[in-house]
Amino acid sequence: QVHLVESGGGLVKPGGSLRLSCAASGFTFSDYYMTWVRQAPGKGLEWISYISGTSSYINYADSVKGRVSISRDNSKKSVFLQMNSLRAEDTAVYFCARLHSSSWIDYWGQGSLVTVSS
Amino acid sequence: QSVLTQPPSASGTPGQRVTISCSGSNSNVGQNPVNWYQQLPGTAPKLLIYNNDERPSGVPDRFSGSKSGTSASLAISGLQSDDEADYYCAAWHDSLNGPVFGGGTKLTVL
């Protein structure tokens, strides 16, 4: 059974940094692209970034490019999202998710809340 | 402003059939499969339909998807109170090289 568990969220001041982690289980982790999607309070879903199984291919949404870095550790079956220069508009629940066939999201974690506020 | 366009709300009574539309462009829906997600209050999204019209195991056949050109639809038949949720469409966007989502449709079961 596929299981994704995010951690690392919390309250951070504007301009601060935060690193989210996502621990995966129940599938061959290195075979899959992994992605992060966020949802601001009361808003819709927004794709942030994805990383290929071997970390050879990475892409970011324009809204976070230059401020966010995605990485993974296949030995630990984990994917990470380093977020810098955080702004109030980055306040959201951040979901870790698995990309099937490098095309659609088939499994989601429960989410980790990031609040950017002074 | 979401890349894909959905109506903000939809409603129906128990047993009815409702449809939710999703409109995109030739850069996303027109060229790539559409997927639908159900998000119950306070929970993570769950895959409902993938590849335009396929259901993951465990999803009831009351849920069906279709696509024509740059538009797609999700149909829910035999509406139940448990279906009350937010529904999102998604598709790969070629020039962005990533997935894009609709703004979500809040389904109310009257």
Side-chain angles (χ1 to χ4, degrees), chain A residues 103, chain B residues 24-34 51-52 67-71 91-95:
Chain A
S103 180
Chain B
S25 70
N26 285 324
S27 296
N28 41 66
V29 174
Q31 293 295 327
N32 299 300
V34 174
N51 225 10
N52 302 322
K67 188 181 95 168
S68 177
T70 58
S71 294
W92 200 263
H93 194 291
D94 289 337
S95 58

Side-chain angles (χ1 to χ4, degrees), chain A residues 9-118:
Chain A
L11 176 64
V12 60
K13 289 182 167 53
S17 298
L18 207 60
R19 188 191 196 214
L20 300 179
S21 301
C22 171
S25 61
F27 63 101
T28 305
F29 183 69
S30 57
D31 284 352
Y32 288 87
Y33 278 58
M34 297 297 293
T35 188
W36 289 92
V37 174
R38 70 183 178 184
Q39 186 172 35
K43 302 296 184 184
L45 302 168
E46 179 190 16
W47 167 71
I48 295 300
S49 177
Y50 63 74
I51 184 169
S52 65
T54 58
S55 303
S56 59
Y57 198 68
I58 287 171
N59 198 18
Y60 300 100
D62 287 343
S63 59
V64 300
K65 203 169 286 186
R67 300 188 299 122
V68 160
S69 176
I70 191 171
S71 61
R72 65 191 292 159
D73 183 339
N74 287 343
S75 68
K76 295 181 179 177
K77 298 184 181 180
S78 294
V79 61
F80 309 99
L81 190 71
Q82 176 69 42
M83 300 187 291
N84 303 319
S85 304
L86 283 162
R87 308 164 180 165
E89 53 265 36
D90 294 318
T91 294
V93 174
Y94 285 73
F95 295 102
C96 164
R98 188 180 85 167
L99 271 175
H100 188 280
S101 300
S102 314
S103 180
W104 67 80
I105 294 171
D106 59 353
Y107 288 97
W108 302 69
Q110 86 287 350
S112 183
L113 176 62
V114 173
T115 303
V116 184
S117 174
S118 54

Side-chain angles (χ1 to χ4, degrees), chain B residues 58-90:
Chain B
V59 173
D61 59 7
R62 299 187 298 107
F63 295 90
S64 61
S66 63
K67 188 181 95 168
S68 177
T70 58
S71 294
S73 290
L74 171 71
I76 309 172
S77 60
L79 201 60
Q80 300 177 0
S81 57
D82 288 351
D83 298 333
E84 201 160 90
D86 293 325
Y87 292 85
Y88 293 90
C89 63

